[in-house]
Amino acid sequence: MRKHYRFSLFIVVVILVSLLGVNLTFAQETGNSSPSNLIDTNADQPWTSQFVHQVSYPDDVGKYASLGLRPFDDLPYISYYDAANGNLMLAHWAPNTGNCGTNNNWQCEVLDGDNGDDVGSFSSLDFWADDATQTWKIGISYHDTTNGALKFITWSCTPQVCTLHKIYTIQAAPFDFVSHGLYTSLKFAIDGTPIIAYYMAYSLGDDLLYYVYYRESAGNCGESPDEGEWQCDIIDAGEGVGQYVSLDLTYDGTPYLAYYDADNGNLKLANYWGLTDFDCYENNGWECPIIDAVGAVGSYASLVMQRFSTDKLYRIAYYDASTDTLKYTDQDLEPHVVDDMGNNTSPLGISMNLDGDGYPVIAYRQIALETSMLKVARLYIAFNDGNFGNCGEVPPGYIFLLWRCSVLDNGGQYLEEAQYASVAIKSNGMPLIAYSEFYNVDVGDHATSLKFASQYFQSVLPIVNKP
């Protein structure tokens, strides 16, 4: 009887859709439009979590986590900030042989900061690989608080060994009222060139959104002895313009930047046209259209660009401060609410990536009463079970909920999860999340630790040896 009822309900919905002209073939509209790439990742598979770097008061690690997967074997690497010591940190998977985390499954090391400077906030990690030679690079962009600077560290690697290439100071602040390198977002271009977007705060005038790439010579920035090796271009300007910038590249290497215009409370998406424009900084060849302007929208933006020519051009997850909600929009779907997030002065981490079927996986923090939790939102169609969504609002043009929101780490008394979050997707299509856990008994007893969650196929044992 229950199956018959569900089938009858489905027929009714199809008839209503036909009468109302609403599109029910949502798979091709919201995921990849090429069925040949389907992996069937089964979004309902279980999750498990563990600590990467666990500390107690007065230590403070795990903020500004950025997760990436090593080429050719998918091993997770996480850059993060040790706020207690002012260090840029890197953790990588080392099951039962590491120096940190649950069962010593992780190797944690200091990359920069031992000289006494406070460095490592706003870190962003990325990998680049050359399939023909089986070589790869890893890079991290980050902020130097002491010198108000943007920095970048990179290694070149073979299957046997990685060699530290260099630590660059790209732009440093000449005065205390200028600070470079906030909200850094790093991607390697197709040819391995590092590209960085970031926000510059200027207390005496307009803040600036920068687009930076390595040139080797004839550039307009780079601190001595690397002067002229980088090109730093201003994309947009204004009070609070460029906060929460998120950089991504299309399949053919075209850069796009999603960011928050705090002056006007708008979400914007910049891309380079090379022609005279009317809505960016001083006719610089960039176009900066507004994507959402209803309320104060666009902070904590996370951007994913098209992976191939027939894919959606863009997808953006972001925060609406006027309604305390997580929102989503893409080339086909108008901005709409995915879930409530709550209101707090502390960070509200949002990170998005695409699973093996090309559907968004959004990790985010939700505040509830005196705690907060790590949640994940995915489209109902990723579950392939015939049910619709359970959260958010019905988007314009649809008659049912599209998103399913579930709790991955509920925190607990004195525990707040996911002030910072970062999502990566393994080659088998399964998501991984690096995130923070804040332990807070009172003002004098608190600490931040770094955690890691992974989804796994139920037929495989949990993550003791399979992150």
Side-chain angles (χ1 to χ4, degrees):
M1 293 295 293
R2 183 175 298 173
K3 290 183 179 179
H4 181 266
Y5 173 77
R6 180 175 292 178
F7 179 75
S8 300
L9 178 61
F10 177 76
I11 294 297
V12 171
V13 170
V14 171
I15 293 173
L16 286 172
V17 168
S18 300
L19 293 174
L20 296 174
V22 180
N23 192 348
L24 191 62
T25 57
F26 188 66
Q28 291 187 353
E29 286 196 358
T30 307
N32 291 338
S33 54
S34 173
S36 62
N37 285 346
L38 294 180
I39 298 178
D40 191 15
T41 55
N42 296 318
D44 59 351
Q45 293 293 312
W47 289 78
T48 186
S49 65
Q50 62 179 269
F51 282 99
V52 176
H53 193 161
Q54 185 177 18
V55 297
S56 57
Y57 174 80
D59 290 331
D60 187 2
V61 303
K63 295 178 179 178
Y64 304 104
S66 182
L67 170 64
L69 302 180
R70 191 169 73 180
F72 311 122
D73 61 12
D74 274 351
L75 290 186
Y77 280 61
I78 307 170
S79 64
Y80 59 104
Y81 177 48
D82 176 354
N85 298 293
N87 294 334
L88 172 67
M89 304 290 295
L90 180 68
H92 64 86
W93 180 249
N96 305 119
T97 62
N99 63 1
C100 60
T102 303
N103 298 324
N104 287 327
N105 282 334
W106 297 84
Q107 182 70 29
C108 300
E109 58 183 307
V110 177
L111 299 184
D112 193 5
D114 278 345
N115 62 353
D117 287 348
D118 183 359
V119 300
S121 59
F122 299 102
S123 77
S124 180
L125 178 150
D126 196 29
F127 285 96
W128 174 85
D130 185 337
D131 293 334
T133 62
Q134 293 288 291
T135 59
W136 50 280
K137 293 193 291 189
I138 179 175
I140 303 171
S141 59
Y142 56 102
H143 177 56
D144 178 342
T145 302
T146 301
N147 300 292
L150 168 68
K151 299 187 74 174
F152 174 72
I153 184 171
T154 181
W155 298 259
S156 297
C157 304
T158 68
Q160 292 77 33
V161 64
C162 284
T163 303
L164 176 64
H165 177 60
K166 203 167 188 178
I167 298 179
Y168 293 92
T169 299
I170 299 175
Q171 290 218 85
F175 309 105
D176 291 340
F177 47 80
V178 177
S179 188
H180 290 278
L182 306 174
Y183 302 105
T184 76
S185 185
L186 165 70
K187 292 294 179 183
F188 281 108
I190 294 174
D191 63 359
T193 299
I195 302 172
I196 304 167
Y198 78 91
Y199 167 72
M200 187 207 82
Y202 181 41
S203 61
L204 300 182
D206 284 344
D207 303 325
L208 301 175
L209 172 63
Y210 269 98
Y211 177 82
V212 178
Y213 57 96
Y214 184 72
R215 289 192 63 175
E216 188 174 357
S217 62
N220 65 359
C221 62
E223 301 295 322
S224 180
D226 308 312
E227 187 174 356
E229 294 189 16
W230 295 83
Q231 181 69 28
C232 298
D233 295 332
I234 298 173
I235 306 304
D236 205 350
E239 184 176 354
V241 173
Q243 293 178 352
Y244 307 101
V245 60
S246 179
L247 165 70
D248 200 17
L249 311 178
T250 61
Y251 69 96
D252 61 358
T254 304
Y256 283 76
L257 288 71
Y259 60 98
Y260 182 46
D261 175 353
D263 192 24
N264 299 292
N266 296 335
L267 171 68
K268 302 179 77 172
L269 181 65
N271 66 295
Y272 184 73
W273 281 76
L275 304 172
T276 300
D277 58 76
F278 305 97
D279 56 1
C280 272
Y281 179 79
E282 295 184 353
N283 296 327
N284 56 8
W286 287 77
E287 192 168 31
C288 304
I290 296 171
I291 302 299
D292 191 356
V294 180
V297 293
S299 54
Y300 305 101
S302 184
L303 170 69
V304 177
M305 296 304 300
Q306 61 182 168
R307 299 297 191 240
F308 47 87
S309 60
T310 58
D311 191 13
K312 290 175 177 289
L313 177 61
Y314 67 86
R315 299 169 174 88
I316 312 174
Y318 57 101
Y319 182 60
D320 182 341
S322 54
T323 59
D324 302 329
T325 55
L326 169 67
K327 296 185 74 174
Y328 171 88
T329 189
D330 63 34
Q331 183 180 2
D332 301 313
L333 274 173
E334 294 182 26
H336 62 278
V337 172
V338 175
D339 197 7
D340 295 327
M341 288 184 64
N343 185 12
N344 197 288
T345 56
S346 58
L348 294 165
I350 296 174
S351 179
M352 178 174 60
N353 216 315
L354 302 184
D355 67 16
D357 294 329
Y359 300 127
V361 179
I362 308 174
Y364 60 102
R365 180 190 185 206
Q366 185 181 72
I367 299 170
L369 299 177
E370 296 181 356
T371 186
S372 66
M373 61 196 75
L374 169 67
K375 296 186 72 174
V376 65
R378 306 180 76 166
L379 291 167
Y380 79 89
I381 199 166
F383 294 83
N384 195 29
D385 60 7
N387 297 315
F388 294 132
N390 65 4
C391 57
E393 65 180 6
V394 176
Y398 290 85
I399 60 173
F400 49 83
L401 297 174
L402 302 184
W403 296 92
R404 291 197 201 169
C405 303
S406 56
V407 178
L408 299 190
D409 194 335
N410 198 26
Q413 188 177 23
Y414 309 129
L415 294 178
E416 299 181 12
E417 307 296 339
Q419 291 184 353
Y420 301 88
S422 180
V423 180
I425 307 295
K426 296 182 67 174
S427 56
N428 66 2
M430 302 298 271
L432 312 171
I433 304 173
Y435 62 103
S436 62
E437 178 177 275
F438 181 57
Y439 172 77
N440 184 24
V441 175
D442 55 47
V443 175
D445 187 4
H446 56 85
T448 303
S449 297
L450 179 64
K451 300 183 76 174
F452 175 80
S454 63
Q455 190 179 36
Y456 60 94
F457 290 109
Q458 205 159 14
S459 60
V460 178
L461 291 175
I463 66 170
V464 174
N465 289 305
K466 294 184 178 295

